[in-house]
Amino acid sequence: MILRIRIIAILSIITAMASASSGQDSARNLSSGPEARTLYKIAQQLYREPGAGAAEAEQAMVLLNAALSLDERADYILPELIDISWLYPEQNYTDAVYLALDQYVNASCDLEVPVKAVQYLLERLNSREEREALLTRLLAKFSRKNDYFTCDLS
């Protein structure tokens, strides 16, 4: 209960910051690393606490997406999005996994994270043809980003 009160308080602060900054310079995007990190930590606590379930995972996903909106450079959030989807496969986080995968893969990324994402995406598909089509699209998309990852895909 206390954690949920903290979440509401932090979201209220972020909303107030967004309102205040919109009056200053509408062309400038709201970006805040410290607030993003706070949302990230709260999300981690939510879905990792003993007894946490799908509801807490859903709340954590919302907080992590909000954190990414606050700080698009916060690459540390992307593996967390994939981990939550991996831990709660009964939930449909396909769009979040696609986005996280696309943003995460680069020449020096840890391969465990994108492999988990691909496994999650493959498990959500119903036929062999759909799986092959997904792998073909991913191979084409990531062939120039990370050679090791595309080798794993093939």
CSV table of all heavy atoms in Angstrom, one decimal, residues 3 6-11 13-14 17 32-46 60 63-64 66-68 70-71 74 76-77:
chain,number,residue,atom,x,y,z
A,3,LEU,N,3.8,1.5,-1.1
A,3,LEU,CA,4.5,1.7,-2.4
A,3,LEU,C,3.6,2.3,-3.4
A,3,LEU,O,4.0,3.2,-4.2
A,3,LEU,CB,4.9,0.3,-2.9
A,3,LEU,CG,5.8,0.2,-4.1
A,3,LEU,CD1,7.1,1.1,-3.9
A,3,LEU,CD2,6.2,-1.2,-4.5
A,6,ARG,N,3.5,6.0,-2.9
A,6,ARG,CA,4.7,6.6,-3.4
A,6,ARG,C,4.6,6.8,-4.9
A,6,ARG,O,5.0,7.8,-5.5
A,6,ARG,CB,5.9,5.7,-3.1
A,6,ARG,CG,6.4,5.8,-1.6
A,6,ARG,CD,7.5,5.0,-1.3
A,6,ARG,NE,8.7,5.2,-2.2
A,6,ARG,CZ,9.7,4.4,-2.3
A,6,ARG,NH1,9.7,3.3,-1.6
A,6,ARG,NH2,10.7,4.7,-3.1
A,7,ILE,N,4.0,5.8,-5.6
A,7,ILE,CA,3.9,5.9,-7.1
A,7,ILE,C,3.0,7.0,-7.4
A,7,ILE,O,3.3,7.8,-8.3
A,7,ILE,CB,3.3,4.5,-7.6
A,7,ILE,CG1,4.3,3.4,-7.5
A,7,ILE,CG2,2.9,4.7,-9.1
A,7,ILE,CD1,3.7,2.0,-7.8
A,8,ILE,N,1.9,7.1,-6.7
A,8,ILE,CA,0.9,8.2,-7.0
A,8,ILE,C,1.6,9.6,-6.8
A,8,ILE,O,1.4,10.5,-7.6
A,8,ILE,CB,-0.4,8.1,-6.2
A,8,ILE,CG1,-1.1,6.8,-6.7
A,8,ILE,CG2,-1.2,9.3,-6.3
A,8,ILE,CD1,-2.3,6.4,-5.8
A,9,ALA,N,2.3,9.7,-5.7
A,9,ALA,CA,3.0,10.9,-5.4
A,9,ALA,C,4.0,11.3,-6.4
A,9,ALA,O,4.1,12.4,-6.9
A,9,ALA,CB,3.7,10.8,-4.0
A,10,ILE,N,4.8,10.3,-6.9
A,10,ILE,CA,5.8,10.6,-7.9
A,10,ILE,C,5.2,11.0,-9.2
A,10,ILE,O,5.6,11.9,-9.9
A,10,ILE,CB,6.8,9.4,-8.0
A,10,ILE,CG1,7.6,9.3,-6.8
A,10,ILE,CG2,7.6,9.5,-9.3
A,10,ILE,CD1,8.5,8.0,-6.7
A,11,LEU,N,4.1,10.3,-9.6
A,11,LEU,CA,3.4,10.6,-10.8
A,11,LEU,C,2.8,12.0,-10.8
A,11,LEU,O,2.8,12.7,-11.8
A,11,LEU,CB,2.4,9.6,-11.2
A,11,LEU,CG,2.9,8.2,-11.6
A,11,LEU,CD1,1.8,7.2,-11.8
A,11,LEU,CD2,3.8,8.3,-12.8
A,13,ILE,N,4.1,14.5,-9.1
A,13,ILE,CA,5.3,15.4,-9.2
A,13,ILE,C,5.7,15.5,-10.7
A,13,ILE,O,5.9,16.6,-11.2
A,13,ILE,CB,6.5,15.0,-8.4
A,13,ILE,CG1,6.1,15.1,-6.9
A,13,ILE,CG2,7.7,15.7,-8.7
A,13,ILE,CD1,7.1,14.4,-5.9
A,14,ILE,N,5.7,14.4,-11.4
A,14,ILE,CA,6.1,14.4,-12.8
A,14,ILE,C,5.1,15.2,-13.6
A,14,ILE,O,5.5,16.0,-14.5
A,14,ILE,CB,6.3,13.0,-13.3
A,14,ILE,CG1,7.5,12.4,-12.6
A,14,ILE,CG2,6.4,13.0,-14.8
A,14,ILE,CD1,7.6,10.9,-12.9
A,17,MET,N,5.7,18.8,-13.1
A,17,MET,CA,6.9,19.3,-13.8
A,17,MET,C,6.5,19.5,-15.3
A,17,MET,O,7.0,20.4,-15.9
A,17,MET,CB,8.0,18.3,-13.6
A,17,MET,CG,8.6,18.2,-12.3
A,17,MET,SD,9.9,16.9,-12.1
A,17,MET,CE,10.9,17.2,-13.6
A,32,SER,N,14.0,14.0,-18.1
A,32,SER,CA,14.5,14.0,-16.7
A,32,SER,C,15.0,12.7,-16.3
A,32,SER,O,14.2,11.7,-16.1
A,32,SER,CB,13.4,14.5,-15.8
A,32,SER,OG,13.9,14.5,-14.5
A,33,GLY,N,16.3,12.6,-16.2
A,33,GLY,CA,17.0,11.3,-15.8
A,33,GLY,C,16.7,10.9,-14.4
A,33,GLY,O,16.3,9.7,-14.2
A,34,PRO,N,16.7,11.8,-13.4
A,34,PRO,CA,16.5,11.4,-12.0
A,34,PRO,C,15.1,10.9,-11.8
A,34,PRO,O,14.9,9.9,-11.1
A,34,PRO,CB,16.7,12.7,-11.2
A,34,PRO,CG,17.7,13.5,-12.1
A,34,PRO,CD,17.3,13.2,-13.5
A,35,GLU,N,14.1,11.5,-12.4
A,35,GLU,CA,12.7,11.0,-12.3
A,35,GLU,C,12.5,9.7,-13.0
A,35,GLU,O,11.8,8.8,-12.5
A,35,GLU,CB,11.7,12.1,-12.8
A,35,GLU,CG,11.5,13.3,-11.9
A,35,GLU,CD,12.6,14.3,-12.1
A,35,GLU,OE1,13.5,14.2,-13.0
A,35,GLU,OE2,12.6,15.3,-11.3
A,36,ALA,N,13.2,9.5,-14.1
A,36,ALA,CA,13.1,8.2,-14.8
A,36,ALA,C,13.7,7.1,-14.0
A,36,ALA,O,13.1,6.0,-13.9
A,36,ALA,CB,13.8,8.3,-16.2
A,37,ARG,N,14.8,7.4,-13.4
A,37,ARG,CA,15.5,6.4,-12.5
A,37,ARG,C,14.6,6.1,-11.3
A,37,ARG,O,14.5,4.9,-10.9
A,37,ARG,CB,16.8,7.0,-12.0
A,37,ARG,CG,17.5,6.1,-11.0
A,37,ARG,CD,18.7,5.3,-11.2
A,37,ARG,NE,19.5,5.4,-12.4
A,37,ARG,CZ,19.9,4.3,-13.0
A,37,ARG,NH1,19.6,3.1,-12.6
A,37,ARG,NH2,20.7,4.5,-14.0
A,38,THR,N,13.9,7.1,-10.7
A,38,THR,CA,13.0,6.8,-9.6
A,38,THR,C,11.8,5.9,-10.0
A,38,THR,O,11.5,4.9,-9.3
A,38,THR,CB,12.4,8.1,-9.1
A,38,THR,OG1,13.5,8.9,-8.6
A,38,THR,CG2,11.5,7.9,-7.9
A,39,LEU,N,11.2,6.2,-11.2
A,39,LEU,CA,10.2,5.3,-11.7
A,39,LEU,C,10.7,3.9,-11.9
A,39,LEU,O,10.0,2.9,-11.7
A,39,LEU,CB,9.6,5.9,-13.0
A,39,LEU,CG,8.8,7.2,-12.8
A,39,LEU,CD1,8.3,7.7,-14.1
A,39,LEU,CD2,7.6,7.0,-11.9
A,40,TYR,N,11.9,3.8,-12.5
A,40,TYR,CA,12.5,2.5,-12.7
A,40,TYR,C,12.7,1.7,-11.4
A,40,TYR,O,12.3,0.5,-11.4
A,40,TYR,CB,13.9,2.7,-13.4
A,40,TYR,CG,14.8,1.5,-13.5
A,40,TYR,CD1,14.5,0.5,-14.4
A,40,TYR,CD2,15.9,1.4,-12.6
A,40,TYR,CE1,15.3,-0.6,-14.5
A,40,TYR,CE2,16.7,0.3,-12.7
A,40,TYR,CZ,16.4,-0.7,-13.7
A,40,TYR,OH,17.2,-1.8,-13.8
A,41,LYS,N,13.2,2.4,-10.4
A,41,LYS,CA,13.4,1.7,-9.1
A,41,LYS,C,12.0,1.2,-8.5
A,41,LYS,O,11.9,0.1,-7.9
A,41,LYS,CB,14.1,2.6,-8.1
A,41,LYS,CG,15.6,2.7,-8.5
A,41,LYS,CD,16.3,3.7,-7.5
A,41,LYS,CE,17.7,3.8,-8.0
A,41,LYS,NZ,18.4,4.8,-7.1
A,42,ILE,N,11.0,2.1,-8.6
A,42,ILE,CA,9.7,1.7,-8.1
A,42,ILE,C,9.1,0.5,-8.9
A,42,ILE,O,8.6,-0.4,-8.3
A,42,ILE,CB,8.7,2.9,-8.1
A,42,ILE,CG1,9.2,4.0,-7.1
A,42,ILE,CG2,7.3,2.5,-7.8
A,42,ILE,CD1,8.4,5.3,-7.2
A,43,ALA,N,9.3,0.5,-10.2
A,43,ALA,CA,8.8,-0.6,-11.0
A,43,ALA,C,9.5,-1.9,-10.6
A,43,ALA,O,8.9,-2.9,-10.5
A,43,ALA,CB,9.1,-0.3,-12.5
A,44,GLN,N,10.8,-1.8,-10.4
A,44,GLN,CA,11.5,-3.0,-10.0
A,44,GLN,C,11.0,-3.5,-8.6
A,44,GLN,O,10.8,-4.8,-8.5
A,44,GLN,CB,13.0,-2.7,-9.8
A,44,GLN,CG,13.8,-2.7,-11.0
A,44,GLN,CD,15.3,-2.5,-10.7
A,44,GLN,OE1,15.7,-1.7,-9.9
A,44,GLN,NE2,16.1,-3.3,-11.4
A,45,GLN,N,10.8,-2.7,-7.7
A,45,GLN,CA,10.2,-3.1,-6.4
A,45,GLN,C,8.8,-3.7,-6.6
A,45,GLN,O,8.5,-4.7,-5.9
A,45,GLN,CB,10.1,-1.9,-5.4
A,45,GLN,CG,11.4,-1.4,-5.0
A,45,GLN,CD,11.3,-0.1,-4.1
A,45,GLN,OE1,10.2,0.4,-3.9
A,45,GLN,NE2,12.4,0.4,-3.7
A,46,LEU,N,8.0,-3.1,-7.4
A,46,LEU,CA,6.7,-3.6,-7.6
A,46,LEU,C,6.6,-5.1,-8.1
A,46,LEU,O,6.0,-5.9,-7.5
A,46,LEU,CB,6.0,-2.8,-8.7
A,46,LEU,CG,5.0,-1.7,-8.2
A,46,LEU,CD1,4.5,-0.9,-9.4
A,46,LEU,CD2,3.9,-2.2,-7.4
A,60,ALA,N,4.2,-2.1,-13.2
A,60,ALA,CA,5.6,-1.9,-13.5
A,60,ALA,C,5.8,-1.5,-14.9
A,60,ALA,O,6.7,-0.6,-15.2
A,60,ALA,CB,6.4,-3.1,-13.1
A,63,LEU,N,5.0,2.1,-15.4
A,63,LEU,CA,6.0,3.0,-14.9
A,63,LEU,C,7.3,3.0,-15.7
A,63,LEU,O,7.9,4.0,-15.9
A,63,LEU,CB,6.3,2.5,-13.4
A,63,LEU,CG,5.2,2.8,-12.4
A,63,LEU,CD1,5.6,2.1,-11.1
A,63,LEU,CD2,5.0,4.2,-12.3
A,64,LEU,N,7.6,1.8,-16.2
A,64,LEU,CA,8.8,1.8,-17.1
A,64,LEU,C,8.6,2.5,-18.4
A,64,LEU,O,9.5,3.2,-18.9
A,64,LEU,CB,9.2,0.3,-17.4
A,64,LEU,CG,9.8,-0.5,-16.1
A,64,LEU,CD1,9.9,-1.9,-16.5
A,64,LEU,CD2,11.0,0.2,-15.6
A,66,ALA,N,6.6,5.1,-18.7
A,66,ALA,CA,6.7,6.5,-18.4
A,66,ALA,C,8.1,6.9,-18.2
A,66,ALA,O,8.5,8.0,-18.6
A,66,ALA,CB,5.9,6.7,-17.1
A,67,ALA,N,8.9,6.1,-17.6
A,67,ALA,CA,10.4,6.4,-17.4
A,67,ALA,C,11.1,6.6,-18.7
A,67,ALA,O,11.9,7.5,-18.9
A,67,ALA,CB,11.0,5.3,-16.6
A,68,LEU,N,10.8,5.7,-19.7
A,68,LEU,CA,11.3,5.8,-21.0
A,68,LEU,C,10.9,7.1,-21.7
A,68,LEU,O,11.7,7.8,-22.4
A,68,LEU,CB,11.0,4.7,-21.9
A,68,LEU,CG,11.9,3.5,-21.9
A,68,LEU,CD1,11.4,2.4,-22.8
A,68,LEU,CD2,13.3,3.9,-22.4
A,70,LEU,N,10.3,9.9,-20.1
A,70,LEU,CA,11.0,11.0,-19.5
A,70,LEU,C,12.5,11.0,-19.9
A,70,LEU,O,13.1,12.1,-20.0
A,70,LEU,CB,11.0,10.8,-18.0
A,70,LEU,CG,9.7,11.1,-17.3
A,70,LEU,CD1,9.7,10.7,-15.8
A,70,LEU,CD2,9.4,12.6,-17.4
A,71,ASP,N,13.1,9.9,-20.2
A,71,ASP,CA,14.5,9.8,-20.6
A,71,ASP,C,14.7,8.8,-21.6
A,71,ASP,O,14.9,7.6,-21.3
A,71,ASP,CB,15.4,9.6,-19.3
A,71,ASP,CG,16.8,9.7,-19.6
A,71,ASP,OD1,17.2,10.0,-20.8
A,71,ASP,OD2,17.6,9.5,-18.7
A,74,ALA,N,17.7,6.3,-21.4
A,74,ALA,CA,17.7,5.3,-20.3
A,74,ALA,C,17.7,3.9,-20.8
A,74,ALA,O,16.7,3.2,-20.6
A,74,ALA,CB,16.6,5.6,-19.3
A,76,TYR,N,19.0,1.3,-19.7
A,76,TYR,CA,18.9,0.4,-18.6
A,76,TYR,C,17.5,-0.1,-18.4
A,76,TYR,O,17.2,-1.2,-17.8
A,76,TYR,CB,19.5,0.9,-17.3
A,76,TYR,CG,18.8,2.2,-16.8
A,76,TYR,CD1,17.7,2.1,-16.0
A,76,TYR,CD2,19.3,3.4,-17.2
A,76,TYR,CE1,17.0,3.3,-15.6
A,76,TYR,CE2,18.7,4.6,-16.8
A,76,TYR,CZ,17.5,4.5,-16.0
A,76,TYR,OH,16.9,5.7,-15.6
A,77,ILE,N,16.5,0.6,-18.9
A,77,ILE,CA,15.1,0.2,-18.7
A,77,ILE,C,14.7,-0.9,-19.7
A,77,ILE,O,13.8,-1.7,-19.4
A,77,ILE,CB,14.2,1.5,-18.9
A,77,ILE,CG1,14.5,2.5,-17.8
A,77,ILE,CG2,12.7,1.1,-19.0
A,77,ILE,CD1,13.8,3.8,-18.0
